[in-house]
Amino acid sequence: DQKFVCSVWDQLYKEATETVIREPLLKPLIDEAVLAHNSFGDSLRFRLATKLGGRLLHSNDWLKVFAEAGNDGKNDAALQRDACQDLIAILKRDPACDSVLTAFLFFKGYKALQSYRFSHTLWNAGRRELAHLCQSRISEVFSVDIHPAARIGRGVMLDHATGLVIGETAVVGDDCSFLHGVTLGGTGKVTGDRHPKIGNNVVIGCNASILGNIVIGDNCKIGSGTIVVKSMPPGTTIVGTAGRVIEPKPTMDH
């Protein structure tokens, strides 16, 4: 894991150095966000803190919060590993992204997801009020609302991300891709474990809603605007407001 994180950091730092030469106007931003730091973790925490900082809790306060969330070496290593895997996932799957630097600096879905990961660590440590504050700031700044108790795997891409909502008991597997407006919500009829469980390598189109304590199997594709209220087996493709199942094609890219 450490070698992987270091390789991503080396790539990020190299791209930052090259971009400063090519676009001098971006030098203050890139210097502050990347080149002034000695590690990926330091750079990530600083970037998130500058975005979440506000009138009552300043950027320096958020830096302390993030440092405390990762003060356990195991937590810090996991946060950096997951952040790097998410970054590489964007580079591989998003045709609009041509560098890790672009996603790291400018993609709000990436920053929202990494901020959630810190809030999730705080939640698991019993610091729930602070985790809720982090959730609130993520919603205000990025228009993304992820409950800190939700569980999200690695290599996840939140493309555009505006309006995305993930509820408290939702689970998302590895290598998933969500577009904007996706809702993993409850039906409003039950309490307790009430949100969807999404498998690995699932693609969910924009404005799709998956509701209730249902299971979406690995490798499913859910079309834009689809409403799903029943569990789906692995490899299923679901489209339309009524969640119509269609025959899968031989291949389907993210």
Side-chain angles (χ1 to χ4, degrees):
D1 286 349
Q2 189 57 39
K3 286 184 179 180
F4 171 63
V5 171
C6 288
S7 70
V8 173
W9 172 241
D10 289 344
Q11 183 177 352
L12 180 64
Y13 201 92
K14 179 176 180 290
E15 292 175 2
T17 303
E18 293 171 348
T19 303
V20 164
I21 296 170
R22 190 171 61 251
E23 291 288 355
L25 284 175
L26 293 180
K27 188 177 189 304
L29 168 63
I30 294 174
D31 280 349
E32 184 181 65
V34 180
L35 298 180
H37 304 284
N38 296 319
S39 69
F40 180 83
D42 288 345
S43 181
L44 177 66
R45 286 188 289 269
F46 183 86
R47 187 66 181 145
L48 299 182
T50 56
K51 298 300 292 185
L52 296 183
R55 185 174 64 87
L56 296 180
L57 208 63
H58 300 153
S59 296
N60 285 338
D61 298 317
W62 282 109
L63 277 174
K64 293 176 184 176
V65 169
F66 295 152
E68 291 173 4
N71 62 5
D72 180 317
K74 188 176 180 180
N75 284 341
D76 188 54
L79 287 165
Q80 292 190 53
R81 176 203 63 208
D82 292 353
C84 286
Q85 290 192 353
D86 295 339
L87 203 55
I88 297 303
I90 297 170
L91 185 63
K92 288 181 177 179
R93 294 183 215 148
D94 188 349
C97 181
D98 58 2
S99 70
V100 292
L101 180 68
T102 296
F104 186 84
L105 289 181
F106 305 123
F107 285 16
K108 72 173 186 176
Y110 177 75
K111 291 191 282 284
L113 180 57
Q114 305 322 310
S115 299
Y116 146 78
R117 293 196 186 283
F118 279 103
S119 77
H120 183 67
T121 301
L122 292 167
W123 182 271
N124 287 341
R127 305 183 70 181
R128 298 197 167 186
E129 293 79 11
L130 197 54
H132 276 306
L133 175 63
C134 192
Q135 176 193 6
S136 177
R137 284 299 291 161
I138 295 167
S139 179
E140 291 168 359
V141 174
F142 302 118
S143 298
V144 171
D145 194 352
I146 306 175
H147 195 285
R151 290 179 285 152
I152 299 178
R154 314 172 191 172
V156 172
M157 179 179 74
L158 306 183
D159 194 13
H160 302 292
T162 302
L164 182 139
V165 176
I166 298 179
E168 178 185 12
T169 60
V171 177
V172 176
D174 296 335
D175 303 316
C176 291
S177 299
F178 294 176
L179 276 75
H180 53 283
V182 167
T183 297
L184 304 184
T187 62
K189 297 179 180 179
V190 295
T191 59
D193 192 356
R194 61 198 182 279
H195 296 106
K197 312 298 181 281
I198 310 297
N200 299 321
N201 197 41
V202 173
V203 181
I204 305 181
C206 61
N207 299 314
S209 295
I210 298 88
L211 306 176
N213 186 16
I214 60 176
V215 176
I216 305 299
D218 295 348
N219 305 307
C220 282
K221 317 294 182 193
I222 299 175
S224 298
T226 300
I227 299 173
V228 184
V229 294
K230 295 180 180 179
S231 293
M232 293 292 165
T236 305
T237 299
I238 313 113
V239 299
T241 55
R244 180 169 57 92
V245 176
I246 63 174
E247 291 298 321
K249 294 181 180 180
T251 60
M252 187 173 181
D253 294 334
H254 280 206

